[in-house]
Amino acid sequence: MITEGGEYYFDPIGLFVEPGETVTFEIRGGRHSATAYTEEATSASVTRIPVGADSFNSGTLNAQGATFEHTFETAGTYDYFCIPHKTIGMVGRIVVGEPGGPAQGSMPPDGSVPESQTIVNQGSVSYEDFTG
């Protein structure tokens, strides 16, 4: 999770993992969260994680180097956002096992992310390489 100049972003912006893997989100600068798009989330109006999947929300982390971990058990496409920077497009996507679920085939309402199959094919899509 990065703030650099006037840019706020997740890097990588797209990540592929297998079910049961744990992802660690780390603050590299600024104040950020990693929050799943679920209707229960503070500022999400839609759910964009697979049915039956555990939601996640780091809350806003302030210290450089602070981390948050989440283990992804359910296969599918997960879109997530940063609470403080959602309105300026700070969003990301994780594909677990294979694409699927409500996020598959469309973009989150607050920004652009790589297509799910691109993430699967590449394993990881850096923010710098994404041209969304």
Side-chain angles (χ1 to χ4, degrees):
M1 299 181 276
I2 300 169
T3 298
E4 190 171 64
E7 293 190 86
Y8 303 83
Y9 57 93
F10 293 100
D11 196 24
I13 191 169
L15 181 66
F16 174 79
V17 298
E18 292 292 347
E21 285 191 58
T22 299
V23 172
T24 301
F25 299 86
E26 180 181 356
I27 295 285
R28 290 280 176 88
R31 298 179 58 232
H32 302 290
S33 79
T35 305
Y37 270 98
T38 60
E39 292 177 57
E40 297 82 33
T42 308
S43 58
S45 59
V46 296
T47 296
R48 297 186 57 83
I49 66 172
V51 173
D54 291 335
S55 183
F56 58 93
N57 182 358
S58 67
T60 302
L61 304 173
N62 298 309
Q64 185 166 339
T67 61
F68 169 74
E69 293 184 342
H70 180 76
T71 301
F72 291 84
E73 300 290 351
T74 303
T77 302
Y78 294 71
D79 286 345
Y80 61 97
F81 62 93
C82 171
I83 292 171
H85 304 111
K86 177 169 86 73
T87 59
I88 59 173
M90 189 171 173
V91 296
R93 175 171 280 176
I94 296 173
V95 178
V96 179
E98 62 185 8
Q104 178 55 26
S106 64
M107 290 291 125
D110 303 294
S112 296
V113 293
E115 294 291 336
S116 296
Q117 194 59 52
T118 300
I119 295 169
V120 171
N121 293 346
Q122 295 182 15
S124 176
V125 178
S126 72
Y127 178 80
E128 183 179 299
D129 291 339
F130 178 61
T131 58

